[in-house]
Amino acid sequence: MIAAFTKPLIAWSLSLIICGTSIQAQDNTQGKEKGLKDYYAEFFPVGASISPRDVSGPEAALILKQFSSLTAENMMKMGPIHPEEDSYNWEPADQIANFATQNGLLMRGHTLCWHNQTPRWLFTDDDGAEVTKDVLLARLKEHITAVVSRYKGKVYAWDVVNEAIDDNPGNFLRNSKWYQIGGEEFIAKAFQYAHEADPNALLFYNDYNAVKPGKRDNIYRLLSSLIEAKVPVHGVGIQGHWSVYEPSEKDLRDAIEKYASLGLQIHITELDVSIYPKEGRREPRESDVAEFTPELEKLQRDKYNMLFRVFRDYKDSITSVTFWNVSDKHSWLDNFPVRGRKDFPLLFDQQLQPKKAFWEVVKF
Ligand code: HAH
């Protein structure tokens, strides 16, 4: 039996415990008030790719709390922004650029010259015949001049050329329409045109699988030859479409060191960590089950932990890190490489709440 006089004592110590918990809970809450951009303020800006629908509502609030840089996921690509030879669709890209500027966020431009999401008119003339190299380069110049000039002072860095290296390391350049018609020269020209339109913009070559040794060496070769030819290239974008199974820490470090040895800035441009092993585009199968199991969650935490530990180690070379999309509510990986297969590759869940991987990234 507890003596009556001890009761206030018990109540007091209980309240201390509760207070203690509540003080700690409050500390946690304060911790949660800090966003990724604040944890990484001394390292590099942290960004996300967005669509115009993200500039209002709950996504906008999450973006403003967490990120210090934005990229348009699609709206500055040639197809969406330049649908007809003589007409531009500025509105959606402007919405994103204005949201960035009004809120003091940096903006990366993506992308000026790519083999995908190109407008239908680009490679053919009025009669449907393939255009000549001269015509194609003139079109490239007109496009780059218009887009870069419009966002001058708003976009500080451009992915000028995207994915021009072949996936097979035995080949060098991708056999795209740009290459078939324009030859190797289209790459240097694109950088030149962008530099003429905005001499202050930082110009990047951007690619995926960029830390895999074979493709890495070919990207390095391209960059060295551009530098050698005095082409205005300032950085390399490592896309960072990785998975819980890749890359290895060694491949990541080796690639960063190799690119940095060229004196280039490195931007991690399109970061996500898929829960699936990487594979090519294919049809959905019945056996495709989208389940974010505790095991995958653990693998994802470990991968994100390694990635950001390495990024911090190389903060002198890595001058930006951008996630490709905002939260697991919507990721391009929900439809790639398997249509309709849900993925969970980002740091915020489908309710926009920080995942376990988020806490790995900010605890250091
Ligand atoms: C990226 N390609 C593109 O740069 C980006 O513009 C797009 O929104 C999504 C991913 C990655 C990629 C690909 O296009 C083809 C095969 C593998 C990876």
Side-chain angles (χ1 to χ4, degrees):
M1 195 189 145
I2 302 168
F5 70 89
T6 58
K7 276 188 185 157
L9 202 63
I10 292 169
W12 179 73
S13 41
L14 260 180
S15 79
L16 257 192
I17 292 165
I18 292 162
C19 258
T21 335
S22 75
I23 285 167
Q24 206 175 356
Q26 208 176 343
D27 271 357
N28 279 343
T29 321
Q30 278 170 1
K32 280 177 194 161
E33 294 307 321
K34 267 170 83 172
L36 284 169
K37 63 177 165 55
D38 308 306
Y39 290 102
Y40 279 87
E42 305 299 313
F43 293 88
F44 33 69
V46 183
S49 75
I50 69 164
S51 71
R53 65 173 182 272
D54 296 323
V55 307
S56 57
E59 269 79 9
L62 183 70
I63 289 163
L64 294 180
K65 179 167 163 184
Q66 301 291 344
F67 300 109
S68 49
S69 177
L70 292 178
T71 308
E73 179 185 4
N74 289 302
M75 292 310 173
M76 288 189 182
K77 291 171 180 170
M78 200 168 182
I81 209 169
H82 196 172
E84 308 293 336
E85 183 168 11
D86 52 7
S87 93
Y88 285 86
N89 174 33
W90 299 118
E91 177 58 26
D94 283 359
Q95 274 184 41
I96 296 173
N98 292 338
F99 178 77
T101 308
Q102 283 157 12
N103 291 290
L105 280 77
L106 294 167
M107 174 106 200
R108 299 188 81 265
H110 176 83
T111 174
L112 298 169
C113 180
W114 187 30
H115 62 282
N116 275 334
Q117 293 182 258
T118 52
R120 223 166 328 154
W121 57 270
L122 180 60
F123 298 113
T124 49
D125 64 18
D126 290 343
D127 304 324
E130 194 164 273
V131 292
T132 61
K133 176 174 175 175
D134 282 354
V135 169
L136 185 63
L137 291 180
R139 287 179 176 185
L140 181 64
K141 180 170 190 181
E142 192 280 331
H143 172 77
I144 290 182
T145 306
V147 176
V148 173
S149 304
R150 185 171 184 92
Y151 298 107
K152 202 171 174 169
K154 291 187 173 172
V155 166
Y156 81 105
W158 277 101
D159 292 331
V160 177
V161 175
N162 202 34
E163 304 176 354
I165 297 289
D166 200 84
D167 283 330
N168 176 354
N171 302 332
F172 180 46
L173 294 178
R174 180 189 293 275
N175 190 22
S176 67
K177 276 267 170 253
W178 286 112
Y179 178 70
Q180 286 167 19
I181 304 173
E184 188 163 345
E185 211 189 339
F186 85 89
I187 300 173
K189 289 285 185 200
F191 281 94
Q192 234 177 53
Y193 303 149
H195 186 63
E196 281 161 20
D198 183 358
N200 293 321
L202 294 173
L203 305 182
F204 284 73
Y205 173 76
N206 189 50
D207 214 329
Y208 64 88
N209 284 350
V211 311
K212 283 198 176 168
K215 192 159 170 183
R216 175 202 68 198
D217 290 350
N218 282 339
I219 295 173
Y220 176 91
R221 175 179 152 198
L222 171 67
L223 291 166
S224 322
S225 74
L226 293 174
I227 292 167
E228 174 77 26
K230 304 235 171 341
V231 173
V233 56
H234 311 113
V236 56
I238 295 178
Q239 284 190 6
H241 291 301
W242 290 312
S243 86
V244 297
Y245 309 106
E246 62 167 283
S248 68
E249 182 167 343
K250 179 172 190 314
D251 280 357
L252 180 60
R253 285 186 187 273
D254 288 353
I256 293 170
E257 286 172 23
K258 186 151 187 170
Y259 295 132
S261 76
L262 288 168
L264 294 172
Q265 294 193 35
I266 296 170
H267 282 188
I268 307 296
T269 50
E270 306 185 16
L271 179 57
D272 42 28
V273 175
S274 172
I275 66 162
Y276 305 103
K278 286 285 161 187
E279 58 179 334
R281 201 187 282 275
R282 65 161 172 82
E283 286 305 305
R285 291 184 205 123
E286 254 181 58
S287 56
D288 289 325
V289 271
E291 216 196 323
F292 191 41
T293 62
E295 290 72 27
L296 290 169
E297 187 179 47
K298 169 87 170 72
L299 288 177
Q300 190 179 59
R301 283 166 57 184
D302 293 347
K303 188 59 74 182
Y304 266 119
N305 178 304
M306 182 278 281
L307 291 171
F308 276 83
R309 183 162 43 74
V310 173
F311 298 163
R312 291 191 299 272
D313 277 355
Y314 293 102
K315 69 171 179 151
D316 291 342
S317 302
I318 297 180
T319 47
S320 165
V321 174
T322 291
F323 288 86
W324 211 240
N325 301 123
V326 174
S327 79
D328 289 352
K329 190 160 132 189
H330 159 76
S331 156
W332 75 291
L333 294 169
D334 295 340
N335 283 305
F336 184 90
V338 180
R339 202 171 6 94
R341 182 184 65 177
K342 183 74 196 139
D343 207 336
F344 305 86
L346 298 159
L347 293 186
F348 302 96
D349 68 17
Q350 289 172 274
Q351 284 72 45
L352 311 187
Q353 298 306 309
K355 291 160 67 180
K356 289 191 174 145
F358 171 93
W359 298 108
E360 284 307 310
V361 165
V362 300
K363 258 185 230 145
F364 55 86

